[in-house]
C-alpha cells in the first residue's frame, strides 16, 4: 500500500505539470505572441516586456483571446498596438529611455496609428 508521502508527491507533480501546460503550452498565448513579435520585426524579449507592462491583467490571457478570435497576424498586430504603446510609456516613465526600446518605437508607433485609423474607419 503506497504511503501518504508518495501520493502527495505524485499529486504535486501532476498539479505542477497542469500549471505549466496551461501557462506555456499550445493555446496559452505565448506562441501567438512570439509569432506577432516576429511578424512585426520585434525582438521577442522586447515584445514581451512591452506587452506585459501594457496590459492590466495577464498578457497571456490577452493574447489568447486574440488568437481565439481567429484574427490574422496583421489584424492582431494592429489590435496590440495601443497595448505595446502603453507598455512603452510605462517602461520609459519608470526607467527612462533605453536603447532596446528605441529600436521598437517606430514599429509600435506605426501599429498604434493603424489602430486609430481602423477605429475611425469602423465608425
Amino acid at each position: 500500500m503506497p504511503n501518504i508521502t508518495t501520493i502527495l508527491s505524485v499529486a504535486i507533480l501532476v498539479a505542477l505539470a497542469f500549471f505549466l501546460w496551461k501557462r506555456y503550452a499550445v493555446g496559452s498565448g505565448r506562441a501567438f505572441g512570439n509569432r506577432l513579435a516576429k511578424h512585426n520585426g520585434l525582438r521577442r524579449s522586447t515584445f514581451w516586456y512591452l506587452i506585459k507592462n501594457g496590459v492590466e491583467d495577464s498578457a497571456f490571457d490577452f493574447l489568447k483571446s486574440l488568437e481565439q478570435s481567429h484574427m490574422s497576424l496583421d489584424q492582431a498586430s494592429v489590435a496590440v498596438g495601443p497595448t505595446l504603446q502603453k507598455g512603452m510609456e510605462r517602461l520609459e516613465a519608470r526607467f527612462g529611455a533605453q536603447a532596446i526600446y528605441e529600436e521598437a518605437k517606430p514599429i509600435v508607433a506605426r501599429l498604434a496609428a493603424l489602430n486609430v485609423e481602423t477605429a475611425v474607419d469602423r465608425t
Side-chain angles (χ1 to χ4, degrees):
M1 181 166 171
N3 63 14
I4 192 75
T5 308
T6 305
I7 294 171
L8 189 57
S9 298
V10 169
I12 289 172
L13 287 174
V14 168
L16 180 63
F18 181 75
F19 169 77
L20 292 173
W21 176 262
K22 291 300 259 180
R23 176 107 187 188
Y24 298 110
V26 175
S28 68
R30 178 173 285 284
F32 189 66
N34 289 340
R35 285 196 314 270
L36 281 175
K38 183 177 181 180
H39 179 74
N40 291 298
L42 293 168
R43 292 181 3 182
R44 280 191 212 176
S45 60
T46 303
F47 176 83
W48 284 107
Y49 284 131
L50 294 176
I51 197 107
K52 286 180 179 180
N53 283 282
V55 296
E56 297 298 324
D57 295 325
S58 169
F60 295 117
D61 290 342
F62 173 65
L63 291 168
K64 186 164 61 171
S65 71
L66 290 177
E67 184 177 23
Q68 289 174 345
S69 67
H70 302 293
M71 290 183 164
S72 69
L73 288 176
D74 288 329
Q75 293 169 323
S77 297
V78 171
V80 300
T83 304
L84 294 173
Q85 187 171 36
K86 186 186 288 184
M88 179 85 67
E89 291 167 0
R90 286 181 178 168
L91 286 168
E92 284 187 337
R94 192 172 190 188
F95 302 112
Q98 301 285 320
I100 191 171
Y101 305 124
E102 292 300 318
E103 297 172 7
K105 268 187 177 179
I107 297 167
V108 171
R110 179 181 57 82
L111 293 175
L114 285 171
N115 184 279
V116 171
E117 287 176 20
T118 57
V120 170
D121 289 343
R122 283 182 259 157
T123 58

